Amino acid sequence: MVELLNPILWHSIVAAATFFVLPTLGEIYAERSGILNLGIEGMVIAGAAGSYAIAYQTQDILLGVLFGMFIGGLLATIHAILTITFNRNQVVSGIGLTILGTGLSGLLGDAVVGKALKGIDSTPIPILKDIPTIGEVFFDQNIFVYLSFILAPILWFILYKTRIGILIRSVGENPSASMNQGVNVRLIRYLCVIFGGMMAGLGGAYLSLGWLNFWTDGMTQGRGWIVIALVVVALWNPLGAFIGSYLFGMFDVLQFSFQHEAIPFIFPTGIPPSVLKMMPPVSTILFLAIWGIILSQQKVKSIVGAPTALAKPFED
Amino acid sequence: MKIANYELIFQKRTFSITGFRAIAYRILFVIFGLMTVGFIFLLNGINPLDLFFLSNRSMLRIILILLPHTFVSFIPLLCIAIGLAIPFKARIDNIGAEGQFIMGMLAATWTAMEFPDLPSIVLIPLMFLNGFILGAIWALPVVFFRAKGGFQGADVVVSFLMVFPALYLMQYLVSGPWRDPATGFAFSKILPESAQIPGIPIEIYVPFLDATWNFDPVHISIFLVLIIALVTYYYLFRTEEGIPKTKIGYEINVTGKNPLAGRMAGISFFKVILISMIISGGLAGIAGVAEIAGNKLRLTVNSAGYGFTAIVVAYLGGLNPIGIIFSALFFAALISGGTAINLTGLPVSALDMFSGIILFYVLLSEFFFRYTIKWRRS
């Protein structure tokens, strides 16, 4: 039987969840400002490849991470120009971004495929790590994980309790009204989309430098798309993103625990790995199905506060 | 937008550009795309002119030598892209054609292994039918999420995520129950002869290339695909003075352009989604059958990724079957030229980069159909 209470298992769930937290926080800001960016997968994978390549060549992890964020921000800028300045279809542009990012990752990471690099060490937090079990699971991780702990509440605070947050949400809710109030709608949307791209790039850097410590083509395995589903599950709320990410982190990690479980008649010698790999996407789809039915009620939508102007073209 | 003393303004055209001028604009923007990719190559220390034209192993030469082989990728690209153009036109974003394509390949293999004794004339149509059905089934979740989903983008995410179960199902079958014990690799058995799509092998010697063109037997399914292109054009895309001639074509158009007006006029949103997604998934499935029975002849663990390239093909072709024939030819040639990219030391994924950039430029070109840009001193 799978040992569900094993701290090592939960340690790796935290590591997997952190990957989801970072890009999801960025995408929440982009969507709150009214721009749907489906290119997360492309920005994450290009960020992962770029940061690993730079970190390998310069032997400087920090430089690699910054480069990953730069690549993510750069790709997001393309999306921003097309969708905000030129008012193009956000879905198609996002798909283009994914294709471009995947190609770019192959180019950037070509030189470092399979090359080993010492990633970021875990830095245990002095007193907190001594708490039994919890300390081992949460406070014996690397700096990215702590960053995600800090960023989620900070970004929640900015979005709901500050003037900037109100501006972002109003731009996503009713851009024309905001513009009449003298708000620079385009500027705010640009900043939010680019911030989203940089967070996706950071997530990519975490994937290759902080978590898995290698680079190979297609290593995200579609996790970037799960981020887009996560934004909805999180109800466009940074704190919700944190909870949702841990849920999907569990899907991601638990699949490996079932590798030696036999199911009578169907898989008598254990579940094959390719069947287990289906678990994260299939559970996401099922989750979205249930969530979609709940969210389709207009009343629920207004309570939840989904951005009304999301993915709608805005011409002034 | 202001830059120094000048102001950039977008001016709406009185008439939007259509017809040949639109095509010319598209070609111009594709050239911009080529130049952008060339610039990226230059940053990587590779001379793009060398790559495309000059050297002995240039892309152009390889494309010409491999011309008959471009049809190998032309068939699936065209078939999938036409299938995609229908939902895209109705603003339904089906980006999971890859999964539907894989299901088509599985359906073909299953049918061929289950009924190897049927004569070709029965078996091959049966394979296409099963491919269509399984591909369409794989597209159905998108219908549900598009019609009932509570938020933007659910259909896109779901259509993409459906690729993974299909891919892993194929990997499971190929490395497990369907594995050919005769080889050491994860391959399925070669299809029985009755399930292979016949063709007429042609060999032409081309003097100026100093090479022989070997037309593969796959080419008999090219007729099927071209017929599909013409039929979908006739029944779904044909327009007169900009208005679709058939009822369903009109409904698809309205759903895409103005769903609210469509609903007022009594067009069933659900019906349009259902029909366009069934055709879309089904055509991707058919492409999968043609790929297995005409080209690969056995399943392997990976797929060529035609489903994603086809998205770009569909948009480059202006979401119109006739345009898609040409854009599919263009991309099929590029895929075989990708071998040339590989020879220069760049990874094959550089082709993906190219597709992405082309898609951006095509999107941008559509902006200039309706607007012009002017600089004005402020």
Side-chain angles (χ1 to χ4, degrees):
Chain A
M1 195 50 214
V2 185
E3 277 196 55
L4 286 176
L5 292 173
N6 190 343
I8 298 168
L9 184 75
W10 284 92
H11 188 270
S12 50
I13 286 175
V14 172
T18 301
F19 169 73
F20 290 121
V21 176
L22 298 169
T24 308
L25 289 174
E27 179 71 4
I28 284 176
Y29 265 63
E31 289 196 16
R32 275 287 181 186
S33 78
I35 301 290
L36 177 70
N37 187 351
L38 291 178
I40 295 283
E41 171 84 2
M43 299 188 293
V44 165
I45 199 164
S51 58
Y52 198 80
I54 292 290
Y56 183 82
Q57 269 150 19
T58 61
Q59 292 295 322
D60 186 343
I61 301 275
L62 182 69
L63 207 62
V65 174
L66 288 177
F67 186 71
M69 289 176 74
F70 169 74
I71 288 281
L74 190 73
L75 288 172
T77 311
I78 301 177
H79 183 71
I81 291 172
L82 274 171
T83 57
I84 302 169
T85 302
F86 289 104
N87 235 322
R88 296 293 88 203
N89 185 336
Q90 297 177 7
V91 171
V92 184
S93 171
I95 296 165
L97 203 59
T98 299
I99 301 176
L100 174 64
T102 312
L104 199 61
S105 76
L107 195 67
L108 289 169
D110 192 36
V112 289
V113 173
K115 299 256 172 73
L117 174 72
K118 200 174 169 301
I120 298 168
D121 280 328
S122 58
T123 37
I125 296 180
I127 300 156
L128 291 172
K129 79 165 197 314
D130 295 327
I131 307 170
T133 319
I134 290 175
E136 202 180 333
V137 170
F138 289 102
F139 299 110
D140 189 11
Q141 302 271 8
N142 64 39
I143 192 96
F144 281 107
V145 179
Y146 305 138
L147 191 67
S148 76
F149 293 165
I150 301 165
L151 271 179
I154 289 181
L155 289 175
W156 173 84
F157 185 81
I158 292 176
L159 196 58
Y160 286 99
K161 303 288 170 196
T162 65
R163 202 184 118 76
I164 304 167
I166 292 172
L167 285 181
I168 292 172
R169 283 184 295 142
S170 66
V171 160
E173 205 59 42
N174 194 338
S176 324
S178 312
M179 208 180 66
N180 290 339
Q181 295 289 318
V183 178
N184 190 340
V185 174
R186 294 210 160 126
L187 180 70
I188 289 178
R189 287 188 164 180
Y190 258 93
L191 292 178
C192 284
V193 172
I194 292 172
F195 173 72
M198 287 168 70
M199 288 298 280
L202 185 67
Y206 170 70
L207 183 69
S208 63
L209 289 171
W211 179 23
L212 301 175
N213 284 327
F214 67 93
W215 158 255
T216 174
D217 269 329
M219 73 184 288
T220 52
Q221 294 180 325
R223 288 193 184 97
W225 291 97
I226 293 182
V227 166
I228 292 157
L230 249 172
V231 174
V232 182
V233 173
L235 305 174
W236 296 271
N237 182 329
L239 292 181
F242 202 73
I243 299 163
S245 299
Y246 276 77
L247 199 66
F248 281 76
M250 266 152 68
F251 290 152
D252 212 18
V253 170
L254 284 178
Q255 53 168 319
F256 298 106
S257 318
F258 289 96
Q259 207 145 358
H260 301 292
E261 298 291 304
I263 297 177
F265 303 115
I266 311 172
F267 302 118
T269 56
I271 306 172
S274 42
V275 173
L276 284 170
K277 277 197 224 156
M278 287 182 205
M279 232 169 83
V282 169
S283 47
T284 310
I285 292 168
L286 291 179
F287 209 98
L288 278 183
I290 299 163
W291 213 247
I293 294 166
I294 299 171
L295 272 188
S296 61
Q297 264 77 38
Q298 275 300 324
K299 219 183 216 168
V300 181
K301 223 183 218 169
S302 63
I303 296 168
V304 163
T308 315
L310 182 62
K312 294 211 174 88
F314 168 63
E315 296 184 52
D316 50 342
Chain B
M1 196 161 52
K2 274 183 189 167
I3 298 163
N5 258 335
Y6 287 89
E7 200 183 356
L8 181 70
I9 47 167
F10 300 139
Q11 207 167 49
K12 211 163 189 169
R13 290 178 196 269
T14 334
F15 297 103
S16 48
I17 292 177
T18 48
F20 282 108
R21 273 187 75 195
I23 294 170
Y25 260 72
R26 279 237 161 73
I27 293 172
L28 182 72
F29 274 84
V30 168
I31 292 171
F32 285 157
L34 282 166
M35 279 159 64
T36 311
V37 177
F39 180 70
I40 295 172
F41 282 167
L42 213 58
L43 289 181
N44 272 274
I46 290 156
N47 184 356
L49 289 177
D50 231 34
L51 182 69
F52 286 126
F53 306 108
L54 300 177
S55 74
N56 195 29
R57 292 174 169 277
S58 76
M59 212 159 147
L60 195 67
R61 194 180 133 82
I62 288 183
I63 286 173
L64 286 175
I65 289 179
L66 295 178
L67 196 64
H69 293 276
T70 58
F71 291 112
V72 170
S73 34
F74 172 69
I75 292 169
L77 279 181
L78 176 64
C79 196
I80 300 172
I82 285 175
L84 287 177
I86 300 161
F88 283 170
K89 198 128 201 181
R91 281 281 168 92
I92 302 157
D93 304 290
N94 169 26
I95 56 172
E98 183 72 18
Q100 296 141 21
F101 176 72
I102 291 173
M103 292 317 281
M105 298 206 285
L106 294 184
T109 315
W110 179 81
T111 315
M113 290 194 319
E114 211 56 20
F115 311 104
D117 301 326
L118 286 177
S120 284
I121 196 86
V122 184
L123 181 59
I124 290 175
L126 187 66
M127 282 159 72
F128 276 113
L129 181 70
N130 284 348
F132 187 94
I133 292 172
L134 209 54
I137 288 176
W138 216 247
L140 284 182
V142 184
V143 180
F144 169 76
F145 279 95
R146 179 67 193 192
K148 297 267 178 273
F151 57 92
Q152 274 281 343
D155 47 340
V156 191
V157 175
V158 167
S159 70
F160 186 83
L161 288 178
M162 290 295 285
V163 174
F164 292 99
L167 185 66
Y168 297 139
L169 182 63
M170 181 169 75
Q171 286 180 3
Y172 164 67
L173 289 171
V174 164
S175 55
W178 290 0
R179 186 181 181 138
D180 181 6
T183 68
F185 302 102
F187 288 153
S188 74
K189 284 198 187 95
I190 290 192
L191 296 195
E193 209 132 284
S194 56
Q196 297 177 8
I197 296 175
I200 313 125
I202 305 171
E203 280 189 18
I204 304 171
Y205 178 75
V206 189
F208 73 94
L209 287 173
D210 191 24
T212 317
W213 281 352
N214 289 310
F215 284 87
D216 296 337
V218 70
H219 288 167
I220 207 151
S221 49
I222 204 169
F223 298 115
L224 176 76
V225 178
L226 287 174
I227 288 168
I228 288 173
L230 294 178
V231 168
T232 44
Y233 174 75
Y234 192 82
Y235 282 105
L236 298 175
F237 291 91
R238 194 164 43 108
T239 59
E240 197 171 358
E241 289 167 4
I243 299 160
K245 279 213 84 171
T246 56
K247 183 164 175 276
I248 180 72
Y250 181 76
E251 289 180 346
I252 287 173
N253 212 7
V254 171
T255 309
K257 287 221 169 99
N258 195 342
L260 199 66
R263 216 164 290 181
M264 294 296 174
I267 293 173
S268 162
F269 190 46
F270 185 78
K271 190 188 91 179
V272 173
I273 306 173
L274 188 67
I275 290 177
S276 52
M277 280 313 291
I278 283 179
I279 299 175
S280 175
L283 287 185
I286 283 185
V289 177
E291 173 77 359
I292 277 293
N295 178 32
K296 280 172 83 174
L297 301 183
R298 61 166 24 151
L299 275 180
T300 56
V301 280
N302 45 21
S303 135
Y306 292 129
F308 299 120
T309 315
I311 298 170
V312 188
V313 172
Y315 274 104
L316 183 61
L319 301 186
N320 182 318
I322 309 299
I324 289 171
I325 293 179
F326 292 100
S327 65
L329 261 180
F330 175 68
F331 265 93
L334 271 181
I335 287 175
S336 59
T339 350
I341 292 183
N342 212 9
L343 288 173
T344 60
L346 283 173
V348 189
S349 60
L351 195 73
D352 275 338
M353 204 174 67
F354 185 76
S355 310
I357 287 172
I358 291 274
L359 189 54
F360 285 136
Y361 275 104
V362 168
L363 261 183
L364 199 60
S365 74
E366 277 166 8
F367 176 82
F368 289 100
F369 290 176
R370 289 176 54 212
Y371 290 88
T372 49
I373 281 192
K374 283 217 171 84
W375 291 96
R376 196 170 58 183
R377 202 180 248 282
S378 55

